[in-house]
Amino acid sequence: MAVTSIYIIVFLSIITMALKISTHNVIGFNAKAGQLIEFFKNKRFDIIICTETKPITPQTENLIKRNWPGSYQINHAQTFGDGLLVLYSNKITQTYIVDIENIIQGRLSVLNFKNKENSFQFHIFAVYLPSFSTFNNRTKMENYMKTLNQTMHMDKYTQNKILIGDFNFTENPKLDRSNQNMTPTEKIYMPIFKEIKEQNKITDCFREFNPNKIQYTFQSKSSNIQSRIDRCYISDTLKRFYNKTEIKPGYWSDHDVLTVTLNIPTGSNRGKGTWKLNTSILNDPHLVNQINNYINNFAQTKYSFDNLQIWWEIAKIEIKKICIKYSIWKSKQRTKERNNIETNLSDLKEIPFNQRSENQNQQITFLEENLKNLDNYKYEGIKIRSRVDQIEKDEQYTPFFFNQYKTHEAKKEITQLYNKDGQTCTDIKDLKNIVHNFYQELYTPNPVSEQDQNILLDQITNTLDNESQQEMEGLLTEKEIFLALKGMKNNKSPGSDGLPREFYLKFWNTLKPHLLEVLNEIFTIENLSKTQNLAIITLLYKKNDHKN
């Protein structure tokens, strides 16, 4: 067969980020750890502040290590009524140097972020303040607030400050509490908190941009009171980066999830990735029908092309377009469904407890269950991305799969490499140049010694008989192609088109006569198509030194 040029595309994982900061009072983290972590990942939160975690066990901490695709810091609880957990994603550490200080045990932590490529810094003050009803110690509560004030006012922190968490009091009971009464907690905290706001020039994100909107984050079933005690404050210097604040229902706690999005520049852009078919969509009869019809109709045109390779390349491009269009539509439908559920759930939760009917309470339970079901649909992708060879159809989403996925993704992240001089490089431009130069040199042809080549060939003594030669050199059969497909592993693409084994098996009856013709033409003319000459290399760390 004629020698053809091989084109190599090298993909270097370079992480960028959009800053989504979330806080959620979880009322105990241990029993809900797996569920919460997967929820946070599905929501693509970058930084999560979990309050009232209660004491986190070593077993739960191991589960966090295995399942969370990033780093974490525990501010261990003093009692069964406090505790903070900070989670931040891998893409944060790709862009920022992160340092976390625990100031008050179980109550106050400071997260410091410094951009690796420029001088931009910001600080997050994560709080979980005690309420008078549970703490009943005015002096100690005042000391907590004074410590927060002194900490935020320290010179080592820049002007870019974010204060977020569960405050256990409201600033404006008329807008932020259903019974509109001032609590003892507010009477203790408010004088000092006003000083904190003025000195640090911070404002309530939600109230700043929603001056008169009533929306609660906490629903107390025991007292039938709702309030907005989970909040986020940003400094004036960060207002230009502000995007939005969202309060979304949480179904495992009496607190909802507060998320603030800031459009903070991070320096680097991310290149395009590769597409691979999500095989779960092959279970949809409508899509299967559409692809079968397209193949049958397009097959009538194959002899109008210069060769069958061109016809097949165009067919794969169109099939890819059909699959992408369908996936986008399906994703939009799920997003629309989720948004409708969350909107209806938020509306129902804003109704005071004492004004809710039994039917409305049942609706809340029903909608929360629907949210769980939608989340479970997304977990299917974890099994595929975990790259596990044998998966039972109804196997549960154990931490093993999440750990496999986390390990697989971590191997693809290149954060530092040695250059030719043995120096460690972390700058993104340098990393690209190192990779480009390495593969350019590796795949540049070098002269071959004919003498050495002949010496090597002369060593070959075993040869095939005529019958075996004919069998090996003859045209392919449908059976041979099918056996080759059956021998492949699931979720493996035989080319750069992103169509894996499952696709070919699903449409085998429709594809087989056309695929047979295409492959035999390639064999006959001894020439591969452009995409068949294209290889995709994903860089992975070696076993030992991750810089080499």
Side-chain angles (χ1 to χ4, degrees), residues 224-415:
N224 286 342
I225 293 175
Q226 297 149 284
S227 57
R228 190 174 67 89
I229 57 177
D230 305 274
R231 299 189 296 279
C232 178
Y233 296 81
I234 62 172
S235 59
D236 291 346
T237 55
L238 291 176
K239 282 185 181 179
R240 63 195 175 105
F241 300 124
Y242 176 80
N243 183 305
K244 61 182 176 180
T245 301
E246 296 177 291
I247 298 172
K248 296 292 185 180
Y251 47 80
W252 45 77
S253 164
D254 52 13
H255 287 252
D256 288 333
V257 183
L258 172 71
T259 306
V260 175
T261 304
L262 300 177
N263 292 330
I264 294 178
T266 58
S268 303
N269 293 320
R270 183 173 185 164
K272 290 184 178 180
T274 55
W275 177 82
K276 181 182 282 187
L277 176 69
N278 177 359
T279 55
S280 66
I281 65 175
L282 297 177
N283 296 320
D284 190 306
H286 175 76
L287 177 67
V288 171
N289 257 357
Q290 190 178 353
I291 292 175
N292 272 322
N293 290 336
Y294 170 76
I295 295 170
N296 289 327
N297 291 333
F298 194 56
Q300 299 174 20
T301 70
K302 65 182 176 183
Y303 299 118
S304 64
F305 291 86
D306 290 343
N307 57 62
L308 294 179
Q309 293 178 60
I310 296 174
W311 172 83
W312 179 233
E313 293 300 323
I314 293 173
K316 288 192 291 183
I317 290 170
E318 293 303 316
I319 290 169
K320 177 179 175 179
K321 286 180 181 177
I322 291 169
C323 293
I324 290 174
K325 185 177 179 181
Y326 174 84
S327 296
I328 291 172
W329 173 81
K330 196 75 174 176
S331 178
K332 285 181 177 178
Q333 291 297 109
R334 287 195 298 270
T335 301
K336 184 178 178 181
E337 183 182 359
R338 185 181 188 93
N339 289 341
N340 287 338
I341 292 173
E342 288 182 341
T343 299
N344 292 334
L345 195 52
S346 294
D347 290 343
L348 286 167
K349 283 189 170 184
E350 285 177 18
I351 301 172
F353 281 109
N354 55 7
Q355 296 178 24
R356 288 181 193 169
S357 65
E358 182 59 32
N359 180 53
Q360 286 170 330
N361 284 327
Q362 290 175 355
Q363 279 184 284
I364 289 173
T365 303
F366 175 74
L367 291 172
E368 287 177 341
E369 194 61 35
N370 282 347
L371 277 183
K372 290 181 187 178
N373 293 335
L374 284 176
D375 287 341
N376 286 337
Y377 178 86
K378 283 195 171 185
Y379 299 162
E380 278 295 332
I382 298 293
K383 284 186 176 181
I384 295 171
R385 295 192 293 274
S386 67
R387 299 291 181 92
V388 178
D389 294 332
Q390 300 292 327
I391 301 177
E392 296 297 328
K393 182 179 178 183
D394 297 320
E395 195 162 354
Q396 296 300 307
Y397 303 99
T398 63
F400 170 71
F401 290 111
F402 301 123
N403 188 34
Q404 288 291 107
Y405 175 48
K406 177 182 174 182
T407 302
H408 174 70
E409 289 300 304
K411 287 180 180 178
K412 293 164 63 178
E413 293 173 7
I414 307 297
T415 59

Side-chain angles (χ1 to χ4, degrees), residues 17 32 78 116 127 142 200 274 277 306 386-387 393-394 398 468 512:
M17 60 169 286
K32 312 162 189 173
Q78 297 184 71
K116 293 178 180 179
V127 298
E142 287 177 342
N200 294 281
T274 55
L277 176 69
D306 290 343
S386 67
R387 299 291 181 92
K393 182 179 178 183
D394 297 320
T398 63
S468 298
K512 61 183 178 181

Side-chain angles (χ1 to χ4, degrees), residues 210-229:
N210 302 279
N212 301 307
K213 185 175 181 179
I214 295 177
Q215 189 172 2
Y216 305 118
T217 64
F218 173 61
Q219 322 265 332
S220 173
K221 294 180 181 179
S222 59
S223 61
N224 286 342
I225 293 175
Q226 297 149 284
S227 57
R228 190 174 67 89
I229 57 177

